[in-house]
Amino acid sequence: MQLNCKFACSFMLLLVVGMVGCQPAYYKTMETFGYHKRDILVSDVEKARESQEEASEQFKSALEKFSVLTGFHGGDLQEIYERLNDEFEASRAAADDVTKRIDAVEEVGNDLFDEWNSELAQYTSKKLRNESRIKLSKTKSKFKRLVAAMRKAEKKIGPVLGVFQDQVLYLKHNLNAQAISSLKTELDSLESDVGVLIKEMQKSIDEADSFIKELKKN
């Protein structure tokens, strides 16, 4: 019996995952499990917040490795290149995940607000309809601030990632001490860019925390 239950749960999980691309069917299936758009939005915001936290840590790690490599005084240049390339690839993967999570937040949020707005007409009580409309307006406004903060942080990723990519490519085709030395010229601006990126990420994370609290109150 326990095995059958596990099989059924696994099957339903695969079914739900397969439906993510087809939102109406996905929402309907999730509702059968007791998860409505509001619950899905909270979950997606939490995942987006986590992806930004992980991205911040990854870019800190990449900057640290980059800084260490600029102090090169001998060693295996191929190994140095591979380490820097690994950090770049990990940073790019983290950036892609951030974008994917923000896209999911936007999509579910817009669907939730469309549904909320359309259901206002179903109220027979004018008082309750007005209260719900006010809550919708406030929540929607806070959601816009959240998405704006997320997108602002996301835009800071591109320039940093671009510098990492340029240095990795340059090093790949110029495996010599002079190439390592040239990395030093980018270090100051890179440190500044990463610092700004992390600050914007933290602002976005704070907005996410605030939004989740607000949504759970309503």
Side-chain angles (χ1 to χ4, degrees):
M1 180 67 181
Q2 186 177 4
L3 183 61
N4 289 337
C5 181
K6 287 182 178 179
F7 175 79
C9 290
S10 298
F11 176 76
M12 290 307 298
L13 178 60
L14 289 172
L15 182 63
V16 169
V17 170
M19 287 181 173
V20 170
C22 182
Q23 290 300 91
Y26 169 64
Y27 292 142
K28 189 172 183 180
T29 301
M30 291 299 288
E31 284 178 7
T32 65
F33 290 101
Y35 294 97
H36 297 273
K37 290 185 183 72
R38 180 184 296 267
D39 305 305
I40 297 170
L41 180 57
V42 168
S43 176
D44 283 352
V45 172
E46 288 173 343
K47 290 174 184 175
R49 178 188 61 195
E50 289 168 7
S51 74
Q52 290 185 321
E53 289 172 344
E54 290 168 3
S56 292
E57 290 304 313
Q58 173 53 42
F59 278 97
K60 284 179 186 177
S61 172
L63 179 61
E64 182 181 333
K65 295 290 192 333
F66 187 93
S67 300
V68 170
L69 293 180
T70 58
F72 173 77
H73 294 295
D76 188 337
L77 285 168
Q78 180 63 36
E79 181 182 342
I80 289 172
Y81 159 72
E82 289 174 357
R83 272 188 283 162
L84 190 58
N85 188 57
D86 286 345
E87 288 296 328
F88 166 68
E89 292 297 341
S91 298
R92 180 161 62 179
D96 289 344
D97 190 55
V98 166
T99 296
K100 181 181 72 174
R101 296 299 184 186
I102 297 173
D103 288 345
V105 165
E106 264 198 297
E107 183 173 12
V108 177
N110 290 333
D111 289 342
L112 169 64
F113 296 130
D114 286 344
E115 178 185 74
W116 192 342
N117 186 63
S118 66
E119 289 178 346
L120 290 174
Q122 297 178 25
Y123 282 97
T124 57
S125 167
K126 185 176 180 180
K127 179 176 179 295
L128 293 178
R129 185 190 304 116
N130 287 337
E131 286 180 0
S132 185
R133 182 181 288 113
I134 291 170
K135 284 183 179 179
L136 169 59
S137 179
K138 288 181 178 179
T139 307
K140 196 172 182 178
S141 178
K142 199 163 187 64
F143 178 75
K144 286 182 178 179
R145 288 200 303 274
L146 168 64
V147 172
M150 286 183 168
R151 291 299 186 191
K152 185 177 181 181
E154 179 193 24
K155 286 180 180 178
K156 299 295 182 183
I157 293 176
V160 174
L161 207 55
V163 173
F164 278 135
Q165 180 174 336
D166 287 348
Q167 298 308 316
V168 168
L169 285 173
Y170 185 74
L171 186 59
K172 179 180 181 180
H173 299 292
N174 300 274
L175 285 176
N176 53 56
Q178 186 177 355
I180 295 291
S181 179
S182 72
L183 302 181
K184 295 178 182 179
T185 61
E186 296 289 345
L187 187 58
D188 287 343
S189 62
L190 188 58
E191 286 178 340
S192 176
D193 288 345
V194 171
V196 171
L197 169 62
I198 290 172
K199 284 181 181 178
E200 292 299 334
M201 286 285 194
Q202 189 57 54
K203 288 178 184 177
S204 177
I205 290 166
D206 292 342
E207 281 287 347
D209 288 335
S210 177
F211 180 77
I212 290 170
K213 289 178 183 177
E214 185 69 26
L215 200 60
K216 286 182 175 179
K217 284 195 305 182
N218 291 331

